[in-house]
Amino acid sequence: MGKFNFFEFIREQWTELPVPTADVSRKSLVVVGANVGLGNEAAVHLAQLKPKSLLITTRDGVKCEQAKADIETRSGMTGIESWPLELTSFDSVRSFVNNFEAKGCTVDALIANAGVLTRSYAKTSDGYETTLQVNYLSTALLSILMLPHLIKTGTHESASRLVIVSSNVHYIAHTLNGADKWDNIIEKLNDQAYCTSSSVMGDRYPLSKLLEVLFVRELSSRLPTPTMVAVSTVNPGFCHSSLIRNVNPLLKLIFTIQNYLLARPTEMGSRTLVHPAIEPGERERHGHYLSSCNVVEESDYALGAEGKEVSKRLWNETIKILADIDPRVNAIVSEHLV
């Protein structure tokens, strides 16, 4: 295991996944990126189960109202909360958490789903390459800042859940090969001169998914045992989604053909997000990468000696960056992580 296998990929694509049925009537749930695609379908599944509360996020206020109306209509649930959260902005992440705390909200499960796919170098207003910030740094910031709230609702009988949406494309990520020799890994990945290579930017989306896998491994290893928060990454499989909306026309055509031949329905893929967020067995999934709702091995790179060394360095670099963005990060790490 640990390698991408085309025949296994095809088998999984045709696997019927379990429909979520857990009792969430006493649970408060949060879904990031719920206006389209996998996040939207996951939110519909959760709303149909009538949780105590459901909070969804989209990139702006207009999309918030549209997503709220759509999910309430399709699920029959009323009273869904919908807040803006723009992952290209660290300030937006901080504002979301500030609002969450000010309103005294609780969370039993957080599905961190939003992501982008780009193949050209562009920086956010915070100074980071867009995919690196949205798929990794902002997701990590949100996860750390929400950690105390997840810990608060976890119990010895049932841990709360943090689900970060990764992908099986992390198996083919190659940019980190040799990264153990770099002085600073994140600075290198963010360097415009380094990113001019088409090979580097062509690998950026798979790389971001690998970074998420490594982040979850490091975070989960630092949570006390028994953990009050079960953390996992999931592979939703190759699905019909809006992820390709920002790619160039030729690449969009290629993806469209692949979608027609191989893609799972978006609703089927969304079950992989919902399953670890609400179904029993969360502590057995803690710290693991999941595919088709089962624990499987990460990539050979992640499992290898270099991957483990780079993983620890990435954690330290990431926490340093996030602590400079929000002083709560160091306090959370000191109080809640080993």
Side-chain angles (χ1 to χ4, degrees):
M1 291 296 291
K3 291 183 178 178
F4 179 79
N5 182 302
F6 180 75
F7 296 104
E8 179 65 15
F9 164 72
I10 295 297
R11 185 194 68 78
E12 284 204 32
Q13 287 297 111
W14 290 94
T15 297
E16 182 75 17
L17 303 177
V19 177
T21 58
D23 179 7
V24 295
S25 59
R26 298 182 180 180
K27 303 294 184 182
S28 299
L29 312 173
V30 178
V31 181
V32 176
N35 59 304
V36 293
L38 291 166
N40 180 264
E41 293 292 342
V44 171
H45 270 302
L46 294 171
Q48 288 172 337
L49 296 171
K50 302 298 186 289
K52 176 183 175 183
S53 69
L54 176 60
L55 168 59
I56 63 171
T57 81
T58 70
R59 296 181 65 180
D60 58 55
V62 173
K63 289 185 174 64
C64 279
E65 292 307 311
Q66 293 171 342
K68 171 183 166 71
D70 169 64
I71 294 167
E72 288 187 340
T73 298
R74 295 172 61 196
S75 67
M77 178 181 178
T78 58
I80 295 172
E81 289 277 330
S82 185
W83 298 358
L85 175 60
E86 174 52 78
L87 295 180
T88 60
S89 166
F90 293 134
D91 281 345
S92 179
V93 177
R94 297 174 70 239
S95 294
F96 173 85
V97 178
N98 291 343
N99 192 30
F100 191 90
E101 293 175 350
K103 292 190 174 185
C105 299
T106 60
V107 56
D108 294 280
L110 167 62
I111 300 176
N113 160 67
V116 295
L117 189 160
T118 59
R119 286 175 171 258
S120 58
Y121 186 89
K123 281 189 174 182
T124 68
S125 59
D126 293 312
Y128 287 94
E129 188 277 319
T130 302
T131 305
L132 180 63
Q133 177 164 339
V134 171
N135 295 11
Y136 180 59
L137 290 172
S138 285
T139 296
L141 178 62
L142 177 66
S143 300
I144 295 294
L145 292 181
M146 291 294 286
L147 195 60
H149 304 285
L150 288 161
I151 290 171
K152 187 176 181 179
T153 57
T155 67
H156 288 285
E157 291 73 31
S158 177
S160 58
R161 328 288 179 87
L162 170 60
V163 179
I164 295 180
V165 181
S166 182
S167 169
N168 56 4
V169 298
H170 91 274
Y171 286 114
I172 62 172
H174 59 77
T175 313
L176 287 183
N177 294 336
D180 56 327
K181 308 297 192 300
W182 298 348
D183 291 336
N184 187 291
I185 297 166
I186 294 178
E187 283 184 7
K188 182 79 168 181
L189 296 174
N190 195 50
D191 180 58
Q192 186 168 0
Y194 172 70
C195 292
T196 54
S197 165
S198 60
S199 173
V200 170
M201 288 311 296
D203 189 55
R204 185 48 52 106
Y205 181 73
L207 168 71
S208 70
K209 300 289 109 177
L210 174 59
L211 294 178
E212 291 172 336
V213 169
L214 300 181
F215 174 78
V216 163
R217 181 169 69 186
E218 294 299 321
L219 173 59
S220 62
S221 71
R222 288 165 170 78
L223 283 163
T225 303
T227 180
M228 295 297 105
V229 185
V231 188
S232 58
T233 48
V234 300
N235 165 40
F238 180 45
C239 305
H240 292 281
S241 76
S242 61
L243 190 63
I244 63 171
R245 61 187 180 274
N246 295 321
V247 302
N248 66 62
L250 177 59
L251 193 59
K252 186 173 291 187
L253 175 61
I254 294 171
F255 273 112
T256 300
I257 295 171
Q258 290 177 333
N259 278 345
Y260 178 76
L261 295 174
L262 296 172
R264 278 174 174 163
T266 311
E267 180 277 324
M268 182 69 71
S270 74
R271 299 181 195 181
T272 64
L273 282 60
V274 176
H275 186 271
I278 64 171
E279 297 294 343
E282 68 276 8
R283 287 196 171 96
E284 286 73 27
R285 296 187 290 265
H286 177 57
H288 291 293
Y289 167 73
L290 314 174
S291 188
S292 294
C293 302
N294 295 307
V295 173
V296 298
E297 287 188 327
E298 306 96 318
S299 68
D300 278 352
Y301 180 86
L303 296 170
E306 180 183 339
K308 290 178 180 178
E309 177 188 343
V310 167
S311 181
K312 289 180 172 57
R313 285 184 56 197
L314 273 167
W315 171 265
N316 292 329
E317 291 177 17
T318 301
I319 294 302
K320 184 177 185 303
I321 290 170
L322 301 186
D324 288 340
I325 295 165
D326 194 305
R328 287 174 290 188
V329 170
N330 276 339
I332 291 167
V333 170
S334 297
E335 181 178 353
H336 297 292
L337 302 181
V338 177

